[in-house]
Amino acid sequence: MNSLGNILLSMHAIYITLIVSCFFVILLSDEDELHQYAINKALKLSVVLTILSLLGYSFYMLASGNKFINIHVILFGIEGLSILTLLFYYLELKGFSFTLKIKNKKITNLLSTISIIISILTTLSMIFRLKLLANPKGFIRYDELILFINFIFISFMIPISPKIKQKFTREEYKKNEIYLKKNFNIFLLIYSLFILSLIAYVIYRTVIL
Amino acid sequence: MAKRKKLFNTKIKVLRAERDLTQEDLAIDLGISRSTILEIERGTFNPSLKLAFTIANYFDKDINEIFEMLEEDEK
C-alpha cells in the first residue's frame, strides 16, 4: 500500500476509535428508563440499516466474483453502526421517533404477492439452471441472489406489516387454534414431501445420470 | 421520522406547581433525568410500573390520580 493509503488507513483507525469510544459510553451507561428506551430503539434501527448495507455489499461482492474485502469496509460497518445509533439515540431523546411500519394493508398484500411470485420463479430458475440468470463471473447465480434478497425482504416485511390479528373470545380462539394447527400440519406434510422429492431428484441427477 | 405520540394524560405538572418544584428538583429527588420527567409530563414516554409508583408515592397520591390512559391506547 502506498503512503497515502497508509495515512488514510491510520486516520480511519483514529476516527473509528473516537466514534466507538463515544458509542460504548452511551451504550453501556445505565442512566434511566428514558435513556434505555431511546438506546434500545436507536440500536434496533441502526443494526437493521448496518446489516442491510453490509449484506448488500457482500452480495455485490459475491455476484461480481470478488472475495477480497477491503479493511475500510469493516471499519465503515462499525462506524455506521456507532454513528447511526448515536444519531437515532439523540433524536429519540429529543422526542423524534422512527418506526418502520406499513399501515396500508393493500400495499402489504401487493408486496407479499410480488414476493411469492419472485420466490417461485427464482426457485424454478435455480432448479432448471436457466441460462438467462446464470452468472459465470460471480460465486452465486443471479436467481440465487434475487431469492436471497427476496427472503430477507420477507423477513423484513413480516414485523412491519399491519397487524392482521383479530380479537377473539376464548371459544373462538380455541376453535381458530385447532383450525390453524390442522392446516399447518397439512402444509408441513406437503412441504416435507416437496423437499424429499427435491432431494430425491438431486440424488437422481448426480448419482444415476 | 415523527414526533412521539401522546399515550396518556398526567397531573405531574400540576402537582409539581403546587409544591413549587422544578422538573430538575423532581428529577433529582427521584434519581432520574430531567428529560425523563419532561417526556412523562408530555405523556409521550411510558414509565415503568416501578417508576409510576415511585412518582405516585412521592406526591402521596394514588397512581390513578396521577396517570390517566387515553381511550385510544386502551383498545
Side-chain angles (χ1 to χ4, degrees):
Chain A
M1 199 181 281
N2 57 22
S3 58
L4 189 67
N6 281 338
I7 293 166
L8 198 68
L9 195 59
S10 54
M11 290 281 281
H12 206 163
I14 294 166
Y15 181 63
I16 201 167
T17 309
L18 292 170
I19 294 288
V20 169
S21 309
C22 297
F23 174 64
F24 280 152
V25 169
I26 297 292
L27 182 73
L28 303 173
S29 66
D30 197 18
E31 283 214 26
D32 65 358
E33 284 176 17
L34 180 69
H35 292 83
Q36 281 174 16
Y37 168 80
I39 198 86
N40 283 348
K41 285 203 82 178
L43 261 180
K44 207 174 172 180
L45 205 63
S46 51
V47 163
V48 168
L49 289 174
T50 312
I51 289 179
L52 280 180
S53 22
L54 285 178
L55 258 179
Y57 178 74
S58 311
F59 283 156
Y60 164 73
M61 294 296 268
L62 283 171
S64 59
N66 191 350
K67 57 183 173 184
F68 299 107
I69 290 176
N70 196 324
I71 191 161
H72 283 291
V73 175
I74 300 166
L75 296 177
F76 273 130
I78 300 166
E79 225 170 70
L81 179 73
S82 312
I83 292 174
L84 285 174
T85 309
L86 292 174
L87 178 73
F88 291 138
Y89 169 74
Y90 177 75
L91 288 171
E92 195 67 47
L93 284 182
K94 291 284 164 199
F96 292 101
S97 202
F98 290 88
T99 39
L100 293 166
K101 287 276 172 202
I102 301 173
K103 287 177 183 172
N104 196 333
K105 281 186 183 176
K106 278 184 184 173
I107 293 174
T108 316
N109 289 338
L110 180 74
L111 288 173
S112 40
T113 313
I114 292 169
S115 174
I116 291 165
I117 292 168
I118 291 171
S119 303
I120 294 166
L121 290 177
T122 45
T123 310
L124 287 173
S125 161
M126 274 167 65
I127 292 168
F128 296 110
R129 295 266 153 192
L130 292 183
K131 280 186 181 174
L132 182 72
L133 294 169
N135 180 16
K137 281 183 186 173
F139 298 112
I140 52 170
R141 286 169 56 85
Y142 287 124
D143 44 16
E144 283 173 335
L145 179 69
I146 297 167
L147 191 66
F148 295 159
I149 294 170
N150 188 42
F151 208 76
I152 292 162
F153 177 73
I154 294 169
S155 68
F156 199 75
M157 278 285 295
I158 294 167
I160 67 166
S161 300
K163 281 183 185 173
I164 47 165
K165 207 173 154 187
Q166 293 168 343
K167 276 197 173 179
F168 292 122
T169 59
R170 211 176 290 168
E171 287 298 311
E172 281 173 341
Y173 180 82
K174 279 178 185 172
K175 265 187 193 173
N176 211 42
E177 207 182 5
I178 294 165
Y179 170 78
L180 281 174
K181 269 186 184 172
K182 197 179 159 187
N183 278 316
F184 182 70
N185 286 338
I186 294 168
F187 167 76
L188 208 64
L189 188 73
I190 294 168
Y191 185 71
S192 313
L193 283 173
F194 173 73
I195 292 292
L196 284 173
S197 50
L198 196 70
I199 293 167
Y201 174 73
V202 170
I203 293 168
Y204 170 75
R205 284 288 295 265
T206 50
V207 178
I208 297 170
L209 287 182
Chain B
M1 189 172 74
K3 272 265 177 193
R4 264 206 297 269
K5 217 170 76 175
K6 190 169 181 174
L7 306 163
F8 55 87
N9 288 322
T10 171
K11 286 180 185 157
I12 295 176
K13 200 172 181 176
V14 179
L15 293 166
R16 210 165 41 74
E18 280 172 7
R19 285 162 179 76
D20 200 23
L21 287 167
T22 62
Q23 283 180 341
E24 193 152 13
D25 294 335
L26 183 61
I28 292 166
D29 288 351
L30 296 176
I32 54 176
S33 67
R34 196 191 67 82
S35 49
T36 306
I37 296 290
L38 176 77
E39 293 295 322
I40 295 173
E41 277 188 5
R42 279 182 185 161
T44 51
F45 171 66
N46 244 340
S48 68
L49 198 59
K50 190 185 166 195
L51 183 56
F53 269 109
T54 311
I55 295 168
N57 289 339
Y58 180 86
F59 290 112
D60 204 17
K61 298 269 181 197
D62 194 75
I63 203 162
N64 285 323
E65 291 176 68
I66 298 180
F67 299 101
E68 183 202 12
M69 289 303 289
L70 292 175
E71 284 285 312
E72 216 180 10
D73 291 296
E74 284 174 359
K75 281 174 193 173

